Amino acid sequence: EKSGGWHAAPAGLKMLLTSVAVAANVIAARLGLSLVLFAVAAVILFWARVPRRQMMLFLLAPAWATLVVMIGFSVGFGSTPLFSVGPVTAYKEGALEGLEAAVRVACDMAWMAALFLTTPFTEQMAVLRRMRVPAALVDTLAFMYRYVFLLWDEFDRMATAARARGGWSSRARSIDTIARLAAQIFLQAYDRALRIDISIRARGG
């Protein structure tokens, strides 16, 4: 159950293990180590019974950027051709380097999921304060965590309204709708940040 096991482990311990795993993954940069660390994180996630949808969101969030890196490595490095598409040639050595990079990213995200999806954010902030992380940084993280959900709710409401008006009826209209919603969210976030800054200054913050 969520009340025991990995969920019940101290937040400080989980943050330490996550930091060590991520550091080892980045510094060593070995495919075998990345796979082992990823497997350990996957076992933790299944042991903690984290919903699969949430796990997949963490793992797939950087997928587009990872794909760009893999393609870049494949066509930019190596000497052994794998295949060609017109003037573009993909190489075996570059593809392997791209694969290693993708596995490292997946490993890091799996450990992040094991931490963030099983540890209340308030406990993580408490650990950072005990570690004497600068208060300004901790407070900024707390504000970001609080307001990202407000902005997501606002985006969801606008997306629902756009759907009712046929904003997702075709690919072209969907792209236009997403661009408009993103612009509105950015403007609202900027406006909210200004109001919060004024409010904090008025209180002597």
Side-chain angles (χ1 to χ4, degrees), residues 64-77:
W64 66 271
T66 304
L67 180 61
V68 172
V69 171
M70 291 180 64
I71 294 174
F73 273 111
S74 298
V75 301
F77 302 96

Side-chain angles (χ1 to χ4, degrees), residues 52-195:
R52 292 183 181 180
R53 178 181 174 83
Q54 295 181 1
M55 282 193 293
M56 294 308 298
L57 285 174
F58 258 84
L59 295 176
L60 294 178
W64 66 271
T66 304
L67 180 61
V68 172
V69 171
M70 291 180 64
I71 294 174
F73 273 111
S74 298
V75 301
F77 302 96
S79 57
T80 307
L82 278 178
F83 60 88
S84 297
V85 178
V88 179
T89 301
Y91 299 95
K92 178 181 178 180
E93 295 83 0
L96 290 176
E97 289 187 29
L99 177 62
E100 290 181 2
V103 173
R104 287 200 297 274
V105 171
C107 174
D108 289 344
M109 294 306 297
W111 276 96
M112 292 296 178
L115 172 63
F116 292 119
L117 297 180
T118 64
T119 311
F121 188 75
T122 52
E123 293 184 14
Q124 298 178 48
M125 293 298 98
V127 171
L128 293 178
R129 290 189 175 92
R130 290 198 297 270
M131 294 172 60
R132 300 188 182 280
V133 173
L137 177 58
V138 177
D139 292 339
T140 300
L141 291 173
F143 274 116
M144 290 172 57
Y145 181 80
R146 176 183 178 185
Y147 287 104
V148 70
F149 293 104
L150 295 177
L151 292 174
W152 174 257
D153 289 341
E154 186 64 26
F155 176 84
D156 188 56
R157 286 195 294 270
M158 290 191 295
T160 301
R163 185 175 294 107
R165 295 178 174 86
W168 310 98
S169 57
S170 66
R171 178 172 296 181
R173 293 201 65 178
S174 296
I175 294 174
D176 181 68
T177 297
I178 292 174
R180 291 174 182 271
L181 294 183
Q184 286 296 320
I185 288 296
F186 176 81
L187 292 175
Q188 289 189 21
Y190 181 75
D191 183 61
R192 190 184 296 272
L194 289 178
R195 294 201 306 270

